[in-house]
Every structure is written in C-alpha cells, then in structure tokens.
Amino acid sequence: MQLILISGLSGSGKSIALTVLEDCGFYCVDNLPAQLLPNIAGYLDRAGHARIAISVDVRSSGTLDQLPQIITQIKEQGFDLRLLFLEAKTDTLVKRFSETRRRHPLSSDQFTLKECIQLERDLLEPVGDLGHRIDTSDLNPNTLRAWIKEFVDFDRSRLTLLFQSFGFKHGIPLDADFVFDVRCLPNPHYDPVLRPLTGKDAAVAAFLESDASVQKMLGDIRRFVEDWLPCFIRDNRNYLTVALGCTGGQHRSVYFAEKLMEHFHTDGQQTMVRHRELS
C-alpha cells in the first residue's frame, strides 16, 4: 500500500494537496492524530485501499512528537510511506489568512497572527525534516497541483535530485538543501534581444556558453553535487533539492538548472527540474 502523509503550515496549501491526491485515486483522510496512523493504515489496507493520503498537522499538536517513531513503525510493517511537507513565508501566510478571513488553528487572545505562525513553524520543524518540502510562497495553485503530481509519480525507491531555479529578488526558496548564487555571471537581461527570452531558449544558452566563467561555475557546481550525492543516498534521503538563483529567475538560473538536470539524468540519476519564477 502506498501511504502519503501531508503536513505543513496552515495556509500553505495542504487542502489543495489532498484534493489533488483524491483526484489521483487516493483515499484521503484529513486531520488525523498521529498515534492513530498505524491502526488506520492497517484498517484501510485490509479494506483494499492501495493508495492512501492522510493529513497530520498542528491541529493534533499533542501527538506530533510521536510522529518520527510512528513513521518508522509503519515502514517496518511494509507500507510504502512518504511525507510531503508544505510551507510558505510568514508574510505570504499572513496575506492568505487576511484574504480568506480564516482563523489560525493556534489563534488565541494571547498571540498575534504572526506569533501563531511562528509557533506553528517551531512545532512542525522536526516533522518537516522527515520528508520532501515544498515552499508554496510564490506558487499559483495550478503549479502546486502539477508539482504534487510529479511527487506521486516518481520512483519511490530511489533518491530524486531536484534542480530549482529562482530569483533572489523574490526570496530564497525555503525548501532548498543547497543554494548556489549565479548573479556574478554575465546577465542576458541587458541584451534587448535576449531580455524577453528565458534560459531554456537556444539564444540565451549560446550567450552564456560563450563566457568561460559560466562554464567554470557550472562545472564547479556539477562536481560538488557529484561528490556529495552518494552521502545523501547512503543517508536514505528521498529528495535532494539544489536551488540556483539569479536576480530575476529568468535566464542564468534557468539555464543552470536545465544543464545540471540534463547531466545527471544522462548519468542515470532520477531528476526533476522546476523553475519557480517561470511558473
């Protein structure tokens, strides 16, 4: 049985995730206390459900500290379990709560909304380290839906190497394991012909490949990932996210993400590529 746990910050998109998984054929359960996970998983397995998605979040905060041991217990029972953790920047969450006029689950007379969000972030931090993190701060719902479908479809027995481009002026993605800054390289933005294009276009690639410093940095990042990737595989990691950032996230970072993905895919590694600002 395939079991996906959904967790993360309130307002980060967990409801969207559950809806996507339900559309993909998963039997979905929302807001389940962590200590009930083994019993529910066993029951649904015996009932013939092959794909199950369960949301566990701060609403059952009294049992979150038990979640790491419970996940280990469920895996030892032979279930194919993965955890997807959604998060977003505090200012983004404040805006979302203001727009929807919903109460935060930790709301009280003693805390402001920002304080509630920080408390929730602290409570969930150990949970986030257990799975694949997605920063939804700058994602529209359709992009999030597509990324969740990718998460479901990939081979769960192998580490997935994810290359993500972004623009520093929009903030560093919270879900990155490594962040590389390529803003020191020549910028196609200043060429009027290249400005409307992206790092996926041949003309931009040719512009960047004509500069020796671009190829040197690309080689340095590639060797760094090659050197340390075996350590993450031995650590039984399911995902490793390498973020490449330039100023706007349109040209240089996109080119680097595409080239690194192509290299490691050709080398036999399971890879994904995401372009945050292009989405």
Side-chain angles (χ1 to χ4, degrees), residues 2 10 67 108 122 159 187 218:
Q2 184 181 1
S10 303
L67 192 56
S108 72
D122 294 340
L159 179 143
N187 191 351
L218 183 62

Side-chain angles (χ1 to χ4, degrees), residues 37 46 60 96 134 145 181 216:
L37 278 171
R46 292 189 297 272
S60 55
R96 289 175 183 173
I134 295 181
R145 292 185 186 100
D181 184 351
K216 184 178 188 311

